Amino acid sequence: MADLDALLDTYAAVILKVGVNLQPGQTLSIGAPGAGVPIETADFVRRVAAQAYASGAGDVLVEWGDPQLQRVRLLSAPESALEDIPEWKVQGTQALADRNAAFLILFAPSPDLMADVPPERVARMQTAAARAFHGFTDAMTKMRYAWSIAAVSTPTWARKVFADLPVEEAVARLWQCIFRGMRVEAPDPVQAWRDHLAQLDARADFMNRSHFARLHYVAPGTALTIDLPERHVWMSAAHAVNAAGTSFVPNTPTEEIFTLPQRDGVNGVLRSTMPLNLNGVMVRNLRLTLERGRIVDFGADEGYEAIKHIIETDDGSHYLGEVALVPVGSPVDFGFPLFNTLFDENASCHVAIGKALPVCLEGGEQMSPEELAAAGANDSLTHIDFMVGSPQLHIDGETASGERVPVFRNGTWANS
């Protein structure tokens, strides 16, 4: 591997130039709203901040978080405290959004951190936070401000992925995976990203021209039909543009094109193909049965209670809100999971339980909640992606006239 410092600087530059696309004079906010950025990432955060200032940032504001302290709070705090989201945090986040700040969420998961925490306490805290920040996240899904999520290699995360390696070697190997997925070692990483986004756009254009009314999924443990709303739009990350007219890439890496399903139009059985790290609890071999869009039965070999509390968040969490197509063999497909949905969902076709993205409907950004519902979009406080792709997955598109067209064969594009 080339000089690590140089690669880290390049990675930071890609995040700033491609991810949030930071503009001169713009404020950069680092940290998930209400949760902050893990203190384990401090060295990289400082590197990003230095580059942001060098590129003309108006200011860089960091909200720190400590997952270990969060675990202590979940285990020991009174239940009332778990639902107490300080209003000043919400108001502060909204004030930054009103100033056209760019929001960077640096993610470094601790996959087993909450394994011994009662899942109902985790769900109570997550639901309270979702309600408190609902206005902010709703604007986020409508792409009204620039935001991006990226990952940082840390000892806690690396030990989970590469359990048989010494910790320093594990951290280095995990950085290699991140650099590969982010195209950091390309001769010109920013141009490599532009070329990649253009390819994703071409895939989205194909699906939009085809305007399928329904998708058919077949794989071991999966036999599912997904109806698509009449006004659905397939998107890639290249389409994200904030209210100021600045393009950005919400998730880095990204290998997907995505749209929304018809809320009441999903039927059949669906099985996950990769582990899901759900708020510090591992969920394995998730199985859903859906009738007229609603999850009517589910199971999991591990993490059942955690997924149960997600599905029971509200009425909308009993339905799906996203369907995404990702071919096997992408630069993020390492042959093993990273236990981080940001990466794992870009190695696999996936769907999401919960909220649909309004941008996946024609004119959805301007629709009221009632108009979105009438157009077929699901709404929920939650949005949880899980992976369903594999080399055994076949997907057909069905037109309004009933013609079936191969879309995926053996886990990749049929027309590639």
Side-chain angles (χ1 to χ4, degrees), residues 71-290:
R71 178 179 175 277
V72 171
R73 185 168 183 261
L74 282 163
L75 285 170
S76 305
E79 288 196 0
S80 59
L82 302 181
E83 297 181 327
D84 182 17
I85 309 299
E87 182 61 25
W88 60 265
K89 285 192 174 185
V90 179
Q91 292 177 350
T93 300
Q94 188 58 53
L96 286 171
D98 292 343
R99 289 167 48 189
N100 188 37
F103 294 86
L104 174 59
I105 300 170
L106 290 176
F107 194 39
S110 302
D112 297 314
L113 184 62
M114 304 299 177
D116 61 344
V117 176
E120 62 272 14
R121 290 176 65 85
V122 177
R124 187 182 296 273
M125 184 187 70
Q126 294 286 343
T127 300
R131 288 189 177 125
F133 286 94
H134 180 262
F136 176 81
T137 54
D138 184 63
M140 175 184 283
T141 62
K142 292 178 178 177
M143 309 300 173
R144 288 180 180 161
Y145 36 80
W147 59 276
S148 191
I149 306 174
V152 180
S153 178
T154 61
T156 301
W157 179 19
R159 277 193 294 261
K160 177 67 176 181
V161 180
F162 301 108
D164 57 336
L165 295 180
V167 64
E168 288 187 5
E169 187 177 345
V171 170
R173 282 285 303 278
L174 186 53
W175 272 126
Q176 287 180 328
C177 293
I178 293 172
F179 295 153
R180 174 177 148 183
M182 291 292 293
R183 295 169 167 78
V184 167
E185 296 185 89
D188 184 342
V190 173
Q191 185 59 49
W193 266 94
R194 290 177 181 143
D195 295 342
H196 171 55
L197 292 172
Q199 292 171 354
L200 291 179
D201 261 355
R203 292 295 186 189
D205 288 345
F206 163 73
M207 293 298 290
N208 286 324
R209 290 195 308 273
S210 300
H211 197 68
F212 294 119
R214 180 177 295 115
L215 299 177
H216 297 262
Y217 282 56
V218 176
T222 291
L224 192 75
T225 60
I226 300 176
D227 291 354
L228 302 175
E230 172 60 29
R231 296 174 64 182
H232 77 275
V233 178
W234 287 92
M235 304 280 292
S236 80
H239 288 288
V241 179
N242 71 2
T246 302
S247 62
F248 62 98
V249 178
N251 286 2
T252 56
T254 181
E255 300 289 333
E256 65 179 314
I257 67 166
F258 55 93
T259 192
L260 78 170
Q262 177 73 30
R263 184 180 193 268
D264 59 357
V266 184
N267 293 277
V269 293
L270 182 63
R271 183 177 68 84
S272 69
T273 53
M274 297 177 72
L276 169 65
N277 173 17
L278 184 57
N279 302 322
V281 176
M282 297 307 303
V283 178
R284 299 179 190 272
N285 196 22
L286 174 61
R287 303 173 298 279
L288 303 182
T289 300
L290 299 102

Side-chain angles (χ1 to χ4, degrees), residues 331-364:
V332 187
D333 186 356
F334 307 111
F336 52 86
L338 293 194
F339 307 109
N340 176 344
T341 304
L342 175 64
F343 273 76
D344 292 342
E345 73 170 6
N346 284 295
S348 170
C349 287
H350 55 274
V351 300
I353 294 170
K355 185 178 180 65
L357 298 178
V359 294
C360 292
L361 282 171
E362 293 177 8

Side-chain angles (χ1 to χ4, degrees), residues 16-30:
L16 293 172
K17 293 177 181 179
V18 175
V20 295
N21 192 9
L22 191 68
Q23 300 297 296
Q26 190 175 24
T27 294
L28 176 67
S29 173
I30 302 179

Side-chain angles (χ1 to χ4, degrees), residues 39 88 191 223 293 299 315 319 389 406 414:
I39 56 176
W88 60 265
Q191 185 59 49
D315 185 62
Y319 297 81

